[in-house]
Amino acid sequence: MKLVHTVVELREEVAQAKAKGLTIGLVPTMGALHEGHGSLIKAANMENDFVIVSVFVNPTQFGPNEDLDAYPRTLEADCKMAEEMGANVVFAPSPKEMYPSEDDTWVEVTGDITKVLCGRTRPIHFRGVTTVVSKLFNLAQPDRAYFGQKDAQQVEVLKRMVKDLFFPLQMRIMPIIREKDGLAKSSRNTYLSAEERTAALVLSRSLKAAKAAYDAGERNTAKIINDVTEMIKAEPMSNIDYVEIYAVPGLLPVGETLTGSNLLALAVKFGTTRLIDNVVLEEK
Ligand code: PAF
């Protein structure tokens, strides 16, 4: 496996792979790789001839008071894991390499899809994500790109971008990977104290209960949201940002009664750590 840091080096790797007629799978990450990322790399390895993993803590998707500086940076361990899971190249650029000209050019998906859920408290976040992912798509020219369902809004926004900008690639979305006790894997879990981590289990518990209620026939939107909210509020260390339901694809508003496919998504703080999780509610 090769570690490259510059655009020129990455372009060279991509040109060589394309010249051999290889298909390319891209796994964009911010590093601190865990089993969730591992599942993306593994899937990319199974479905493509050549796998590129990018490791870049993208400054433009962090707000002024967010955790850009604290975000874990573990490149050596990331390379080891990427190699074990079958990556051919790790691309780990510097901020200057990715943003050589003072961030003049932005790719932004406008409309409610980027304003609801996380977009409400993180107004510049998705613009940063779509900009950096566009750059990565242009550099890696993948046949397939891999993202985790845990970042469900990101997935919806990126799918819209790919459609609107005619990126010639397939979006591959992999299921949420959880710890044995249900906590969704996240690079930010490392911020949690032992007590906060235990408290955070209420998230997967409440989503599981909502899914069970839905599967048993519950379709009342307000009731499902209220039950999840009450369950989380009963955990004293929790501080809810949102518990909401939107229709997917597209994150469209839902009515009083759920029909079709719906995303039940939540963001909750434990101490200073904000966690997200979700479940899709749809007829079997
Ligand atoms: O999901 C992430 O880790 C990031 O948002 C991404 C897609 C790598 C863009 O920086």
Side-chain angles (χ1 to χ4, degrees):
M1 194 211 65
K2 211 160 165 183
L3 170 64
V4 301
H5 295 284
T6 66
V7 164
V8 169
E9 287 170 306
L10 180 62
R11 279 198 195 280
E12 184 53 35
E13 293 297 324
V14 171
Q16 280 178 23
K18 294 263 177 204
K20 288 184 204 149
L22 303 182
T23 55
I24 297 180
L26 172 68
V27 185
T29 83
M30 296 208 299
L33 300 188
H34 50 67
E35 280 169 49
H37 300 108
S39 74
L40 306 183
I41 303 170
K42 221 168 164 176
N45 188 34
M46 281 171 63
E47 297 176 353
N48 303 274
D49 305 315
F50 194 79
V51 175
I52 300 170
V53 176
S54 62
V55 173
F56 179 60
V57 183
N58 174 34
T60 64
Q61 68 187 73
F62 289 79
N65 300 315
E66 294 184 9
D67 57 340
L68 173 62
D69 293 336
Y71 201 86
R73 287 156 171 89
T74 58
L75 185 57
E76 211 179 309
D78 292 345
C79 287
K80 196 161 167 278
M81 176 160 187
E83 183 163 27
E84 278 166 16
M85 294 296 150
N88 299 92
V89 168
V90 167
F91 174 51
S94 66
K96 192 81 194 145
E97 191 71 15
M98 289 304 277
Y99 295 100
S101 52
E102 307 294 321
D103 320 347
D104 288 327
T105 304
W106 296 99
V107 175
E108 184 168 12
V109 176
T110 58
D112 287 349
I113 195 167
T114 51
K115 298 203 172 53
V116 297
L117 301 173
C118 291
R120 215 173 290 125
T121 46
R122 307 186 74 192
I124 62 159
H125 175 69
F126 291 108
R127 184 181 80 154
V129 170
T130 42
T131 299
V132 81
V133 171
S134 298
K135 288 176 186 242
L136 291 168
F137 283 175
N138 284 329
L139 291 171
Q141 297 173 43
D143 296 278
R144 297 178 193 83
Y146 294 78
F147 298 90
Q149 172 64 18
K150 189 176 83 62
D151 298 305
Q153 187 173 13
Q154 170 171 284
V155 164
E156 292 298 321
V157 171
L158 288 173
K159 278 184 175 170
R160 175 71 62 78
M161 177 189 87
V162 163
K163 183 166 171 269
D164 289 353
L165 297 186
F166 309 110
F167 277 110
L169 57 88
Q170 198 188 341
M171 291 287 281
R172 300 285 289 125
I173 312 306
M174 296 296 135
I176 299 176
I177 303 291
R178 298 183 180 278
E179 305 281 358
K180 278 200 181 64
D181 57 12
L183 186 67
K185 297 246 181 197
S186 163
S187 306
R188 291 190 166 98
N189 290 350
T190 55
Y191 300 157
L192 297 166
S193 69
E195 296 74 30
E196 287 164 352
R197 196 196 170 290
T198 304
L201 296 179
V202 71
L203 303 187
S204 54
R205 250 192 348 260
S206 65
L207 291 175
K208 206 169 160 188
K211 172 92 172 68
Y214 178 89
D215 288 344
E218 182 60 75
R219 293 291 183 275
N220 185 307
T221 307
K223 167 122 177 57
I224 294 174
I225 291 175
N226 192 52
D227 287 354
V228 171
T229 305
E230 288 308 314
M231 205 163 157
I232 296 173
K233 273 189 179 161
E235 172 46 65
M237 293 184 97
S238 71
N239 183 2
I240 296 178
D241 178 354
Y242 62 74
V243 176
E244 287 173 34
I245 299 183
Y246 287 92
V248 282
L251 298 184
L252 303 170
V254 290
E256 281 174 25
T257 305
L258 293 181
T259 55
S261 291
N262 303 283
L263 179 76
L264 166 57
L266 49 81
V268 179
K269 266 186 155 182
F270 295 88
T272 55
T273 306
R274 183 175 174 279
L275 299 179
I276 56 171
D277 202 345
N278 68 81
V279 68
V280 173
L281 304 176
E282 62 189 356
E283 307 271 347
K284 280 184 193 146

